[in-house]
Amino acid sequence: MLQKRIIVCLDVRDGKTTKGIKFKGNVDIGDPVQMAEDYYKQGVDELVFYDITASSEKRGIMIDIVRKVAEKIFIPFSVGGGIRTLSDMKQVILAGAEKVSVNSSAVTNPLIISEGAAHFGKQCIVVGMDVEADFSKPSGYGIVINGGRTKVDLDALEWAKKIEKLGAGEIVLNSIDADGTKDGYELKLTRMISESVGIPVVASGGAGNSMHLADVFQKGKADAALIASMVHIDGYTIGGIKEFLNKENISVRI
Amino acid sequence: MNIGIIDYDAGNLKSVEIALNFLGGDYFVSSDPEKLIKSDKLIFPGVGEAYSSMEILRSRSLDNLLKEYFKKGNPILGICLGCQIILESSEERNTKCLGLVPGVSKVFSHDMGLKIPHMGWNQVQSTKEHYIFKDIPNNSSFYFVHSYYPEPDNSDSTIALTDYGISFSSAFSVANLVAVQFHPEKSGPHGLKMLDNFIKQGV
């Protein structure tokens, strides 16, 4: 039976892991390569690195980190942030990442999804969606881009279906409303999207305790759950979370 | 005991190389059949699409190399697409494959209520003793990412099964060839152990 995945997300700025709340204010919390190795040893299933470096001149720092991570951890990981072109994708894949994640750039240029899938295989292409409640939209949810700052005229459910059709291998579904609250994932949204597409959906935003992960797997029907501050700051361990999920009869890799 | 890793632009070539390097394996990466034929063992990696991958193999005469190498009887490890392409054909764009082992690669169906690709960690239940599983607990999880699955004609060749809607051969072995659908290079310590078993076999 396919197991539910726990994915740790590391936001990287100028070569350091950083943590921000609702995209406002960031603090550096450690070295991404060292942190990746620690989580690997704890049994994390996958890692995601988001390059939130503001300037494109510093992109080389991220590629260097990807290369170092690939030499130390032997589980899949993806890289996102600032990826706009096939050549951006190629750079991170050649450095050793399994997957690349596009978000805002896919909204402004959806063809990057199909082009990426054709070049690197659909399993390489992850599309991140930043979603917020919007009652003017048919599904009740709309899409925001540029780290939650810009609203665009897209219905979240329609966009998710289009992402699948364009050939993405996976969706990372981030609830802007839940992000940073530690009140739990947006279950209704996660379930709606996960049950409407035929590709895996990774839930993101809102995890504050292990029960939140159990809920998003059982009630939200997520295939994987993204966590960050729970393990970066609040002292949870991957082993501890997995033990809890196991007791809740959720199949995870122990 | 040197290991040749076949370079045919497969997506996981780099990861396989990094893992072998980490394990201290004596390996080289090449697309030159003359060099690869002389290697003691061969790794046939793979992430990609069957049809275009077969075209690349043919254009570099690597299809013939694999057939010849298989006859020679030295150990071969096929990974993911490398495990599918050694069969006779694939439902992926109706591709004629190498035919080292009788069988086909079939597509998973959304009708089974499955998310496709089959992506993530799944348990591998070994059904037969094989050196590749040495010191790896049975039913350990390995990392999978694929939309097609191998179905060798002779079910006796199956050495491990995995459930995803159906139960499929996630590892099979014929003569000195062993093929795995999952990615040992991305399956943590158990995956590294499996690669190490391949490196150390017969040494």
Side-chain angles (χ1 to χ4, degrees):
Chain A
M1 186 181 162
L2 183 63
Q3 293 161 319
K4 300 291 187 183
R5 282 173 284 157
I6 297 179
I7 304 175
V8 168
C9 173
L10 297 104
D11 287 339
V12 180
R13 188 181 57 178
D14 300 344
K16 291 265 180 257
T17 310
T18 173
K19 180 69 195 154
I21 311 259
K22 284 229 175 196
F23 303 99
K24 290 165 198 159
N26 285 70
V27 275
D28 287 349
I29 51 173
D31 169 43
V33 181
Q34 182 60 50
M35 289 174 78
E37 220 181 338
D38 287 349
Y39 293 131
Y40 170 65
K41 286 180 183 154
Q42 285 182 30
V44 74
D45 297 313
E46 205 168 315
L47 292 167
V48 180
F49 298 87
Y50 283 119
D51 184 3
I52 61 164
T53 303
S55 63
S56 53
E57 304 91 73
K58 289 185 176 160
R59 263 202 95 66
I61 301 176
M62 191 63 194
I63 298 299
D64 195 42
I65 289 170
V66 173
R67 209 169 281 129
K68 285 183 186 146
V69 167
E71 283 169 9
K72 296 216 161 117
I73 68 159
F74 298 93
I75 52 169
F77 66 94
S78 59
V79 175
I83 289 170
R84 288 175 192 90
T85 63
L86 287 179
S87 122
D88 294 339
M89 290 179 171
K90 193 168 181 183
Q91 244 191 329
V92 294
I93 289 170
L94 282 181
E98 270 60 55
K99 311 179 193 179
V100 290
S101 184
V102 287
N103 189 324
S104 305
S105 62
V107 172
T108 48
N109 172 28
L111 285 181
I112 187 69
I113 302 172
S114 41
E115 283 169 7
H119 267 79
F120 307 108
K122 67 185 291 176
Q123 78 288 339
C124 283
I125 310 301
V126 180
V127 180
M129 301 169 51
D130 286 336
V131 178
E132 70 180 12
D134 180 348
F135 297 109
S136 73
K137 296 284 182 294
S139 70
Y141 295 94
I143 298 292
V144 288
I145 58 169
N146 298 329
R149 288 185 296 267
T150 317
K151 220 178 229 236
V152 291
D153 188 22
L154 261 183
D155 178 78
L157 181 57
E158 261 172 54
W159 178 229
K161 288 179 179 167
K162 190 168 175 194
I163 288 169
E164 179 184 13
K165 210 181 228 175
L166 286 166
E170 186 166 66
I171 288 173
V172 174
L173 179 66
N174 184 44
S175 164
I176 293 290
D177 303 313
D179 193 38
T181 63
K182 299 187 184 178
D183 288 338
Y185 295 92
E186 233 281 25
L187 300 179
K188 192 176 139 224
L189 167 73
T190 309
R191 181 169 188 147
M192 175 182 72
I193 301 290
S194 189
E195 287 186 335
S196 307
V197 295
I199 54 176
V201 170
V202 183
S204 162
N209 60 49
S210 301
M211 194 63 211
H212 291 153
L213 281 96
D215 283 342
V216 84
F217 291 137
Q218 286 172 329
K219 298 176 188 160
K221 307 286 174 198
D223 299 286
L226 210 77
I227 53 173
S229 55
M230 267 179 77
V231 282
H232 295 333
I233 294 164
D234 300 338
Y236 284 89
T237 63
I238 301 297
I241 297 169
K242 285 191 169 182
E243 208 176 298
F244 178 88
L245 293 173
N246 205 28
K247 280 190 194 136
E248 294 288 315
N249 289 318
I250 295 166
S251 174
V252 287
R253 178 178 70 110
I254 302 281
Chain B
M1 196 63 91
N2 76 346
I3 300 175
I5 305 177
I6 303 181
D7 177 4
Y8 67 112
D9 301 341
N12 65 337
L13 176 66
K14 184 88 193 160
S15 312
V16 171
E17 192 187 339
I18 293 171
L20 275 251
N21 190 41
F22 181 84
L23 292 167
D26 173 18
Y27 71 92
F28 65 96
V29 177
S30 176
S31 56
D32 181 355
E34 305 276 317
K35 279 187 191 156
L36 291 165
I37 194 77
K38 291 184 194 136
S39 64
D40 299 312
K41 295 177 184 180
L42 206 56
I43 294 184
F44 185 28
V47 164
E49 190 266 321
Y51 189 86
S52 48
S53 296
M54 273 307 295
E55 281 191 326
I56 298 172
L57 286 174
R58 274 193 290 268
S59 74
R60 296 180 187 174
S61 301
L62 291 167
D63 53 336
N64 291 328
L65 162 85
L66 276 153
K67 288 175 192 166
E68 209 181 316
Y69 200 94
F70 180 60
K71 269 188 219 148
K72 214 172 94 166
N74 285 26
I76 306 177
L77 172 64
I79 299 173
C80 193
L81 186 66
C83 128
Q84 297 179 7
I85 279 188
I86 57 172
L87 299 172
E88 290 163 301
S89 66
S90 170
E91 288 182 0
E92 189 170 28
R93 291 173 72 191
N94 287 318
T95 303
K96 186 176 182 311
C97 298
L98 294 169
L100 305 186
V101 177
V104 293
S105 299
K106 294 187 162 174
V107 68
F108 283 116
S109 166
H110 280 301
D111 299 341
M112 297 190 265
L114 300 171
K115 297 270 180 107
I116 302 169
H118 171 219
M119 188 191 283
W121 299 79
N122 203 332
Q123 284 167 308
V124 172
Q125 183 205 351
S126 84
T127 52
K128 234 177 223 177
E129 216 163 279
H130 193 278
Y131 76 83
I132 208 87
F133 286 111
K134 186 172 171 269
D135 295 332
I136 298 172
N138 198 8
N139 294 313
S140 290
S141 298
F142 287 82
Y143 186 76
F144 288 83
V145 50
H146 59 128
S147 304
Y148 297 79
Y149 63 92
E151 196 173 272
D153 285 351
N154 183 356
S155 55
D156 271 359
S157 61
T158 296
I159 58 171
L161 291 169
T162 294
D163 282 324
Y164 192 58
I166 48 144
S167 177
F168 68 94
S169 290
S170 48
F172 57 95
S173 178
V174 174
N176 280 336
L177 177 149
V178 56
V180 295
Q181 178 56 63
F182 46 85
H183 288 277
E185 76 281 10
K186 282 290 153 181
S187 294
H190 293 321
L192 290 176
K193 179 69 191 136
M194 182 167 282
L195 290 173
D196 200 45
N197 286 341
F198 182 73
I199 294 171
K200 298 222 168 95
Q201 170 66 4
V203 175

